Amino acid sequence: IVVLGVFGDRPRVDMSTVGDREISLIGTLMYKQEDYEEARRVFDEFLLRHPGSELAPEAIFHKGTCHFRAARYYEAIAEYVRVSEQYPTAVLTATAQEGLGVHIREEALYQIGESYYNLGDYGEAVAAYERLQDLYPKSGLADDAQYAIATAYQLQERPEAALAAYESVAAKYPSSDLAPEALHMVGVQHFDGANFQEAIAEFQRVVTRYPDADAAPRAQYDIGRSYYRLRSHEHAVRACEKAAAHGRADEDLRASATYLAAWILRDEEHPRRDLDGAAKRLRTLVTTYPTAAESPRAYLLLAELYREQDRPDDAVRAYRDLVGEHAGTEESRAALVDLGATLLQLGRYGEAL
């Protein structure tokens, strides 16, 4: 293999000196290095010089993926369709070496679906995903395809179809990493449709069946949201606290769950309204999760609680902490106005000005 321009910005391959396998190897290396434009050029040269090579199917597929990575989805689709139609039984080299024997058409159909999905043509995307499932029902991509079908229906605002498709992921592929996500989305569909009891049941299935999944703390949090919509305040607070304590919850989710628990405890409709308990949770939030998205809102709510409890000095401190730690946010601008009003209430006119 002779490479010219080694010391330039980009090596240039002299194709006249190399054979079909070497050209394919060069293209594959560039593809793996994410130099998709150069890889596509090499694959084009390879296909021009060696159209009958046994490596042609893989070159066409990779060429399609070069277009896909560059967001040229129509060009990608054309290459994926080409390899699917011309080489329906060809197998990806890497999978053949591993004894798996994944058909190139199988991967190409999934990528056709992904391309149409990215173009916003959800009908064509669903058709490609379904064809993949029909031709390769045991494919390792079948669960991904089913989940993508569900999200496509959701984006088409077809809630009943989306609900059925998400349920199908959990039913057909219970051991898939997408199963807990799909079950969670079943609950979300019910929640969005104001079917809160059904939503709670689905969210609880996630928590019970997949306690170690990333979806579990989100489902637990959504149990709290659902109970709150049902005005079951105490159940809602308990669910939020479980979400905040869940080992798989990230910082933002912990903060959101803590904030909601405080909000519910402050709710005037709560039969056991607890302003001290709400304030305690908000202080925990701003102290433990200072960079969380909910932190500015927590400070603002904390200050409002203090004012309601006739604790204006504490309110002033909360407003000032908010302005100091989250300057420029909408909450900090609101805090400046309320801070001035509170200082006037305290007769601290110079500070208010």
Side-chain angles (χ1 to χ4, degrees):
I1 301 176
V2 178
V3 181
L4 303 180
V6 172
F7 300 104
D9 291 336
R10 176 183 296 172
R12 181 170 54 83
V13 179
D14 182 359
M15 295 299 180
S16 65
T17 66
V18 296
D20 60 343
R21 289 188 177 277
E22 287 78 10
I23 295 177
S24 177
L25 175 61
I26 292 167
T28 301
L29 288 173
M30 291 178 175
Y31 173 85
K32 290 182 177 180
Q33 291 174 357
E34 300 183 2
D35 188 352
Y36 297 117
E37 284 304 304
E38 187 65 13
R40 182 182 58 81
R41 187 185 72 81
V42 173
F43 288 132
D44 273 336
E45 181 74 15
F46 168 79
L47 291 166
L48 179 66
R49 290 175 172 272
H50 309 282
S53 169
E54 62 180 8
L55 301 175
E58 201 148 352
I60 297 171
F61 176 79
H62 288 322
K63 182 182 171 185
T65 302
C66 291
H67 284 304
F68 183 91
R69 298 297 185 189
R72 294 191 294 264
Y73 299 117
Y74 286 115
E75 292 89 338
I77 290 167
E79 298 300 337
Y80 292 138
V81 169
R82 175 186 172 191
V83 73
S84 298
E85 293 180 349
Q86 294 182 6
Y87 305 97
T89 61
V91 173
L92 286 168
T93 303
T95 64
Q97 292 171 348
E98 295 170 1
L100 301 175
V102 175
H103 285 90
I104 290 178
R105 180 170 66 173
E106 177 182 341
E107 296 276 347
L109 285 171
Y110 184 77
Q111 289 302 120
I112 290 170
E114 292 288 277
S115 298
Y116 278 122
Y117 188 101
N118 289 339
L119 287 166
D121 190 340
Y122 302 117
E124 288 295 334
V126 168
Y129 294 135
E130 288 181 338
R131 188 162 183 237
L132 164 64
Q133 292 176 318
D134 290 341
L135 291 175
Y136 306 98
K138 296 182 179 180
S139 169
L141 294 170
D143 55 338
D144 295 87
Q146 186 61 41
Y147 193 89
I149 289 170
T151 58
Y153 284 144
Q154 191 173 359
L155 290 168
Q156 287 180 313
E157 298 184 355
R158 298 173 58 187
E160 292 183 2
L163 180 62
Y166 281 125
E167 287 176 338
S168 182
V169 176
K172 291 182 178 178
Y173 314 103
S175 60
S176 167
D177 290 342
L178 291 171
E181 297 291 340
L183 271 182
H184 180 249
M185 289 306 300
V186 171
V188 170
Q189 298 299 303
H190 285 304
F191 184 93
D192 291 344
N195 302 313
F196 301 117
Q197 291 287 7
E198 292 87 343
I200 290 169
E202 296 302 331
F203 293 140
Q204 190 59 55
R205 286 172 67 192
V206 178
V207 173
T208 302
R209 293 186 184 182
Y210 305 99
D212 297 324
D214 290 339
R218 284 185 275 117
Q220 187 67 62
Y221 173 61
D222 287 335
I223 290 172
R225 293 172 63 219
S226 301
Y227 273 126
Y228 186 44
R229 291 295 187 93
L230 291 169
R231 315 313 292 168
S232 182
H233 296 82
E234 293 187 15
H235 283 98
V237 169
R238 282 197 292 271
C240 288
E241 290 179 339
K242 285 182 179 179
H246 198 289
R248 300 290 293 181
D250 61 23
E251 179 176 293
D252 281 330
L253 182 59
R254 291 175 192 272
S256 295
T258 303
Y259 182 87
L260 182 56
W263 180 273
I264 297 168
L265 287 170
R266 185 213 184 202
D267 190 339
E268 292 182 355
E269 295 182 13
H270 195 311
R272 298 182 180 179
R273 192 169 187 245
D274 182 3
L275 297 186
D276 287 334
K280 178 181 178 181
R281 286 163 176 78
L282 292 170
R283 286 194 298 270
T284 297
L285 193 164
V286 298
T287 302
T288 309
Y289 314 113
T291 61
E294 293 288 4
S295 186
R297 293 176 63 200
Y299 268 123
L300 198 58
L301 182 58
L302 180 60
E304 291 173 6
L305 284 174
Y306 285 145
R307 291 180 70 180
E308 185 176 351
Q309 292 178 304
D310 196 23
R311 298 167 59 183
D313 289 317
D314 288 331
V316 167
R317 279 191 289 273
Y319 286 134
R320 283 177 168 165
D321 286 341
L322 169 53
V323 172
E325 295 178 22
H326 302 282
T329 63
E330 182 179 342
E331 291 83 2
S332 71
R333 289 189 287 272
L336 283 172
V337 175
D338 292 338
L339 173 59
T342 306
L343 289 169
L344 287 174
Q345 177 189 344
L346 290 168
R348 294 156 63 175
Y349 305 116
E351 293 178 64
L353 290 175

